[in-house]
Short mmCIF file of all heavy atoms in Angstrom, two decimals:
data_model
loop_
_atom_site.label_atom_id
_atom_site.label_comp_id
_atom_site.label_asym_id
_atom_site.label_seq_id
_atom_site.Cartn_x
_atom_site.Cartn_y
_atom_site.Cartn_z
N PRO A 823 17.17 -13.31 52.46
CA PRO A 823 17.85 -12.62 51.36
C PRO A 823 17.40 -13.13 49.97
O PRO A 823 17.32 -12.37 49.02
CB PRO A 823 19.33 -12.95 51.59
CG PRO A 823 19.42 -13.23 53.06
CD PRO A 823 18.13 -13.88 53.43
N LEU A 824 17.07 -14.43 49.92
CA LEU A 824 16.62 -15.03 48.65
C LEU A 824 15.29 -14.41 48.21
O LEU A 824 15.09 -14.07 47.04
CB LEU A 824 16.47 -16.55 48.82
CG LEU A 824 16.28 -17.35 47.53
CD1 LEU A 824 17.49 -17.22 46.61
CD2 LEU A 824 16.01 -18.82 47.85
N GLU A 825 14.35 -14.26 49.17
CA GLU A 825 13.05 -13.67 48.85
C GLU A 825 13.20 -12.20 48.46
O GLU A 825 12.52 -11.72 47.54
CB GLU A 825 12.10 -13.81 50.04
CG GLU A 825 11.62 -15.24 50.26
CD GLU A 825 10.68 -15.36 51.45
OE1 GLU A 825 10.58 -14.40 52.26
OE2 GLU A 825 10.03 -16.43 51.56
N LYS A 826 14.12 -11.48 49.14
CA LYS A 826 14.36 -10.08 48.80
C LYS A 826 14.93 -9.95 47.39
O LYS A 826 14.55 -9.06 46.62
CB LYS A 826 15.31 -9.45 49.82
CG LYS A 826 14.68 -9.22 51.18
CD LYS A 826 15.69 -8.66 52.16
CE LYS A 826 15.05 -8.49 53.55
NZ LYS A 826 16.05 -8.02 54.54
N GLU A 827 15.85 -10.84 47.07
CA GLU A 827 16.47 -10.82 45.73
C GLU A 827 15.42 -11.15 44.66
O GLU A 827 15.40 -10.56 43.58
CB GLU A 827 17.61 -11.85 45.68
CG GLU A 827 18.36 -11.92 44.35
CD GLU A 827 18.99 -10.58 43.95
OE1 GLU A 827 19.41 -9.81 44.84
OE2 GLU A 827 19.03 -10.31 42.73
N GLU A 828 14.53 -12.11 44.98
CA GLU A 828 13.46 -12.49 44.04
C GLU A 828 12.52 -11.32 43.80
O GLU A 828 12.11 -11.05 42.67
CB GLU A 828 12.69 -13.70 44.59
CG GLU A 828 11.74 -14.31 43.59
CD GLU A 828 11.04 -15.54 44.17
OE1 GLU A 828 11.57 -16.15 45.12
OE2 GLU A 828 9.96 -15.87 43.67
N ASN A 829 12.17 -10.60 44.88
CA ASN A 829 11.30 -9.42 44.76
C ASN A 829 11.94 -8.36 43.85
O ASN A 829 11.28 -7.76 43.01
CB ASN A 829 11.04 -8.80 46.13
CG ASN A 829 9.83 -9.43 46.81
OD1 ASN A 829 9.33 -10.43 46.34
ND2 ASN A 829 9.38 -8.86 47.92
N LYS A 830 13.24 -8.13 44.05
CA LYS A 830 13.96 -7.12 43.28
C LYS A 830 13.97 -7.48 41.79
O LYS A 830 13.72 -6.64 40.91
CB LYS A 830 15.39 -7.01 43.82
CG LYS A 830 16.22 -5.93 43.14
CD LYS A 830 17.63 -5.90 43.73
CE LYS A 830 18.53 -4.92 42.97
NZ LYS A 830 19.92 -4.93 43.50
N ARG A 831 14.27 -8.75 41.52
CA ARG A 831 14.35 -9.22 40.14
C ARG A 831 12.99 -9.14 39.45
O ARG A 831 12.87 -8.68 38.31
CB ARG A 831 14.88 -10.66 40.12
CG ARG A 831 15.28 -11.16 38.74
CD ARG A 831 16.06 -12.45 38.80
NE ARG A 831 15.30 -13.51 39.45
CZ ARG A 831 15.63 -14.04 40.65
NH1 ARG A 831 16.70 -13.60 41.30
NH2 ARG A 831 14.91 -15.00 41.18
N ASN A 832 11.92 -9.56 40.16
CA ASN A 832 10.57 -9.56 39.58
C ASN A 832 10.07 -8.13 39.34
O ASN A 832 9.37 -7.86 38.37
CB ASN A 832 9.61 -10.33 40.47
CG ASN A 832 9.80 -11.83 40.34
OD1 ASN A 832 10.60 -12.28 39.53
ND2 ASN A 832 9.07 -12.60 41.12
N LYS A 833 10.45 -7.22 40.25
CA LYS A 833 10.04 -5.82 40.08
C LYS A 833 10.68 -5.23 38.82
O LYS A 833 10.03 -4.53 38.04
CB LYS A 833 10.43 -4.99 41.30
CG LYS A 833 9.96 -3.54 41.23
CD LYS A 833 10.44 -2.73 42.42
CE LYS A 833 9.97 -1.28 42.31
NZ LYS A 833 10.51 -0.43 43.38
N GLN A 834 11.97 -5.52 38.63
CA GLN A 834 12.66 -5.01 37.44
C GLN A 834 12.04 -5.56 36.16
O GLN A 834 11.86 -4.84 35.16
CB GLN A 834 14.14 -5.40 37.50
CG GLN A 834 14.94 -4.64 38.54
CD GLN A 834 16.36 -5.18 38.71
OE1 GLN A 834 16.66 -6.31 38.28
NE2 GLN A 834 17.22 -4.40 39.35
N LEU A 835 11.66 -6.85 36.19
CA LEU A 835 11.03 -7.48 35.02
C LEU A 835 9.68 -6.82 34.72
O LEU A 835 9.39 -6.48 33.57
CB LEU A 835 10.85 -8.98 35.27
CG LEU A 835 10.13 -9.79 34.18
CD1 LEU A 835 10.90 -9.69 32.86
CD2 LEU A 835 10.01 -11.26 34.60
N ALA A 836 8.87 -6.62 35.78
CA ALA A 836 7.56 -6.01 35.61
C ALA A 836 7.68 -4.57 35.08
O ALA A 836 6.92 -4.16 34.19
CB ALA A 836 6.80 -6.02 36.93
N GLU A 837 8.63 -3.83 35.61
CA GLU A 837 8.82 -2.44 35.16
C GLU A 837 9.27 -2.38 33.71
O GLU A 837 8.88 -1.48 32.97
CB GLU A 837 9.85 -1.75 36.08
CG GLU A 837 9.30 -1.40 37.45
CD GLU A 837 10.36 -0.84 38.39
OE1 GLU A 837 11.57 -1.02 38.08
OE2 GLU A 837 9.98 -0.23 39.41
N ARG A 838 10.08 -3.39 33.29
CA ARG A 838 10.54 -3.42 31.92
C ARG A 838 9.38 -3.69 30.96
O ARG A 838 9.28 -3.07 29.89
CB ARG A 838 11.64 -4.47 31.74
CG ARG A 838 12.31 -4.37 30.37
CD ARG A 838 13.59 -5.15 30.27
NE ARG A 838 13.35 -6.57 30.15
CZ ARG A 838 13.77 -7.49 31.02
NH1 ARG A 838 14.46 -7.13 32.09
NH2 ARG A 838 13.51 -8.76 30.85
N ILE A 839 8.49 -4.59 31.36
CA ILE A 839 7.32 -4.91 30.52
C ILE A 839 6.45 -3.67 30.32
O ILE A 839 6.04 -3.34 29.20
CB ILE A 839 6.48 -6.05 31.16
CG1 ILE A 839 7.25 -7.37 31.08
CG2 ILE A 839 5.12 -6.18 30.48
CD1 ILE A 839 6.63 -8.51 31.85
N VAL A 840 6.21 -2.92 31.41
CA VAL A 840 5.39 -1.71 31.32
C VAL A 840 6.10 -0.65 30.47
O VAL A 840 5.46 0.03 29.66
CB VAL A 840 5.08 -1.15 32.73
CG1 VAL A 840 4.37 0.19 32.63
CG2 VAL A 840 4.20 -2.14 33.49
N SER A 841 7.40 -0.53 30.65
CA SER A 841 8.17 0.45 29.88
C SER A 841 8.10 0.14 28.39
O SER A 841 7.92 1.05 27.56
CB SER A 841 9.63 0.42 30.35
OG SER A 841 10.42 1.28 29.58
N GLU A 842 8.20 -1.15 28.02
CA GLU A 842 8.12 -1.54 26.61
C GLU A 842 6.74 -1.26 26.03
O GLU A 842 6.62 -0.81 24.89
CB GLU A 842 8.46 -3.04 26.46
CG GLU A 842 9.94 -3.33 26.63
CD GLU A 842 10.25 -4.81 26.69
OE1 GLU A 842 9.29 -5.63 26.70
OE2 GLU A 842 11.45 -5.16 26.76
N ARG A 843 5.70 -1.51 26.84
CA ARG A 843 4.33 -1.22 26.38
C ARG A 843 4.17 0.27 26.08
O ARG A 843 3.59 0.66 25.08
CB ARG A 843 3.31 -1.63 27.45
CG ARG A 843 3.15 -3.12 27.66
CD ARG A 843 2.35 -3.76 26.51
NE ARG A 843 2.09 -5.14 26.81
CZ ARG A 843 1.01 -5.56 27.47
NH1 ARG A 843 0.10 -4.70 27.86
NH2 ARG A 843 0.84 -6.84 27.71
N ASN A 844 4.67 1.11 26.98
CA ASN A 844 4.55 2.56 26.78
C ASN A 844 5.37 3.03 25.59
O ASN A 844 4.94 3.92 24.85
CB ASN A 844 4.98 3.31 28.06
CG ASN A 844 3.88 3.35 29.09
OD1 ASN A 844 2.73 3.64 28.78
ND2 ASN A 844 4.21 3.05 30.34
N PHE A 845 6.54 2.40 25.39
CA PHE A 845 7.37 2.77 24.25
C PHE A 845 6.66 2.43 22.93
O PHE A 845 6.64 3.22 21.98
CB PHE A 845 8.72 2.05 24.33
CG PHE A 845 9.65 2.39 23.20
CD1 PHE A 845 10.27 3.63 23.14
CD2 PHE A 845 9.89 1.47 22.19
CE1 PHE A 845 11.12 3.95 22.09
CE2 PHE A 845 10.74 1.78 21.14
CZ PHE A 845 11.36 3.03 21.09
N GLU A 846 6.04 1.23 22.87
CA GLU A 846 5.29 0.82 21.68
C GLU A 846 4.13 1.77 21.43
O GLU A 846 3.84 2.14 20.29
CB GLU A 846 4.76 -0.61 21.85
CG GLU A 846 5.84 -1.68 21.74
CD GLU A 846 5.33 -3.05 22.13
OE1 GLU A 846 4.09 -3.20 22.33
OE2 GLU A 846 6.14 -3.97 22.26
N TYR A 847 3.46 2.17 22.51
CA TYR A 847 2.33 3.09 22.37
C TYR A 847 2.78 4.44 21.81
O TYR A 847 2.16 5.01 20.92
CB TYR A 847 1.66 3.29 23.74
CG TYR A 847 0.70 4.44 23.76
CD1 TYR A 847 -0.48 4.40 23.03
CD2 TYR A 847 0.98 5.60 24.49
CE1 TYR A 847 -1.37 5.47 23.02
CE2 TYR A 847 0.10 6.67 24.48
CZ TYR A 847 -1.07 6.60 23.75
OH TYR A 847 -1.93 7.67 23.75
N LEU A 848 3.90 4.94 22.33
CA LEU A 848 4.42 6.22 21.83
C LEU A 848 4.80 6.12 20.35
O LEU A 848 4.54 7.03 19.57
CB LEU A 848 5.65 6.64 22.64
CG LEU A 848 5.37 7.23 24.03
CD1 LEU A 848 6.65 7.38 24.82
CD2 LEU A 848 4.67 8.58 23.90
N ASN A 849 5.39 4.98 19.98
CA ASN A 849 5.74 4.78 18.57
C ASN A 849 4.51 4.85 17.69
O ASN A 849 4.50 5.48 16.63
CB ASN A 849 6.42 3.42 18.37
CG ASN A 849 7.90 3.48 18.64
OD1 ASN A 849 8.45 4.55 18.84
ND2 ASN A 849 8.54 2.33 18.65
N ARG A 850 3.43 4.16 18.12
CA ARG A 850 2.20 4.14 17.34
C ARG A 850 1.54 5.51 17.28
O ARG A 850 1.13 5.98 16.23
CB ARG A 850 1.22 3.11 17.92
CG ARG A 850 1.61 1.67 17.71
CD ARG A 850 0.44 0.75 17.97
NE ARG A 850 -0.12 0.90 19.31
CZ ARG A 850 0.31 0.24 20.37
NH1 ARG A 850 1.30 -0.64 20.24
NH2 ARG A 850 -0.23 0.42 21.55
N SER A 851 1.43 6.16 18.45
CA SER A 851 0.68 7.41 18.51
C SER A 851 1.42 8.58 17.88
O SER A 851 0.80 9.53 17.41
CB SER A 851 0.32 7.74 19.96
OG SER A 851 1.48 7.84 20.74
N HIS A 852 2.75 8.53 17.84
CA HIS A 852 3.51 9.65 17.26
C HIS A 852 4.18 9.29 15.95
O HIS A 852 5.03 10.02 15.45
CB HIS A 852 4.57 10.14 18.26
CG HIS A 852 3.96 10.69 19.51
ND1 HIS A 852 3.23 11.86 19.54
CD2 HIS A 852 3.95 10.21 20.78
CE1 HIS A 852 2.81 12.09 20.79
NE2 HIS A 852 3.23 11.11 21.55
N ASN A 853 3.76 8.11 15.39
CA ASN A 853 4.29 7.68 14.09
C ASN A 853 5.81 7.62 14.07
O ASN A 853 6.46 7.92 13.07
CB ASN A 853 3.81 8.60 12.96
CG ASN A 853 2.37 8.32 12.59
OD1 ASN A 853 1.91 7.20 12.77
ND2 ASN A 853 1.67 9.32 12.12
N MET A 854 6.39 7.26 15.21
CA MET A 854 7.84 7.09 15.25
C MET A 854 8.19 5.78 14.55
O MET A 854 7.45 4.82 14.57
CB MET A 854 8.32 7.05 16.70
CG MET A 854 8.17 8.39 17.42
SD MET A 854 8.39 8.23 19.21
CE MET A 854 10.08 7.67 19.29
N VAL A 855 9.33 5.74 13.91
CA VAL A 855 9.73 4.52 13.22
C VAL A 855 10.95 3.91 13.90
O VAL A 855 11.67 4.57 14.63
CB VAL A 855 10.06 4.80 11.74
CG1 VAL A 855 8.82 5.24 11.00
CG2 VAL A 855 11.16 5.84 11.60
N ASN A 856 11.13 2.62 13.64
CA ASN A 856 12.24 1.88 14.23
C ASN A 856 13.45 1.99 13.30
O ASN A 856 13.58 1.27 12.31
CB ASN A 856 11.81 0.41 14.40
CG ASN A 856 12.80 -0.36 15.22
OD1 ASN A 856 14.00 -0.14 15.12
ND2 ASN A 856 12.31 -1.28 16.02
N ASP A 857 14.36 2.94 13.61
CA ASP A 857 15.49 3.22 12.74
C ASP A 857 16.42 2.02 12.58
O ASP A 857 16.98 1.79 11.51
CB ASP A 857 16.30 4.41 13.26
CG ASP A 857 15.56 5.72 13.03
OD1 ASP A 857 14.85 5.80 12.00
OD2 ASP A 857 15.67 6.64 13.85
N GLU A 858 16.58 1.25 13.65
CA GLU A 858 17.50 0.11 13.61
C GLU A 858 16.99 -0.94 12.62
O GLU A 858 17.76 -1.46 11.81
CB GLU A 858 17.63 -0.50 15.01
CG GLU A 858 18.72 -1.57 15.08
CD GLU A 858 18.86 -2.14 16.48
OE1 GLU A 858 18.49 -1.45 17.45
OE2 GLU A 858 19.35 -3.27 16.58
N ARG A 859 15.69 -1.22 12.64
CA ARG A 859 15.14 -2.25 11.76
C ARG A 859 15.09 -1.79 10.30
O ARG A 859 15.07 -2.60 9.38
CB ARG A 859 13.75 -2.68 12.24
CG ARG A 859 13.81 -3.41 13.59
CD ARG A 859 12.48 -4.02 13.93
NE ARG A 859 12.17 -5.15 13.06
CZ ARG A 859 10.99 -5.77 13.05
NH1 ARG A 859 10.03 -5.34 13.85
NH2 ARG A 859 10.76 -6.77 12.24
N LYS A 860 15.08 -0.47 10.10
CA LYS A 860 15.10 0.06 8.72
C LYS A 860 16.39 -0.33 8.01
O LYS A 860 16.45 -0.39 6.79
CB LYS A 860 14.99 1.60 8.74
CG LYS A 860 13.57 2.11 8.90
CD LYS A 860 13.55 3.61 9.13
CE LYS A 860 14.03 4.37 7.92
NZ LYS A 860 13.92 5.83 8.12
#
């Protein structure tokens, strides 16, 4: 169960990293701005 839990946690972390990369790319390519930081 420990190894299964570790796999689940690591997969979520990896997917989040990829999701953030794609979000940054979309911001750059479509000139989207960060409203919160404004």
Side-chain angles (χ1 to χ4, degrees):
L824 191 63
E825 288 180 347
K826 288 177 183 177
E827 182 58 33
E828 190 178 338
N829 272 10
K830 183 181 175 183
R831 192 168 59 248
N832 284 356
K833 184 183 179 185
Q834 288 172 344
L835 177 60
E837 286 175 343
R838 189 166 75 241
I839 290 171
V840 173
S841 176
E842 286 172 355
R843 290 285 187 90
N844 279 314
F845 181 73
E846 286 171 9
Y847 167 68
L848 283 170
N849 275 352
R850 289 195 303 272
S851 58
H852 296 292
N853 284 332
M854 292 167 63
V855 294
N856 190 323
D857 287 327
E858 188 179 336
R859 293 190 69 188
K860 279 171 66 177

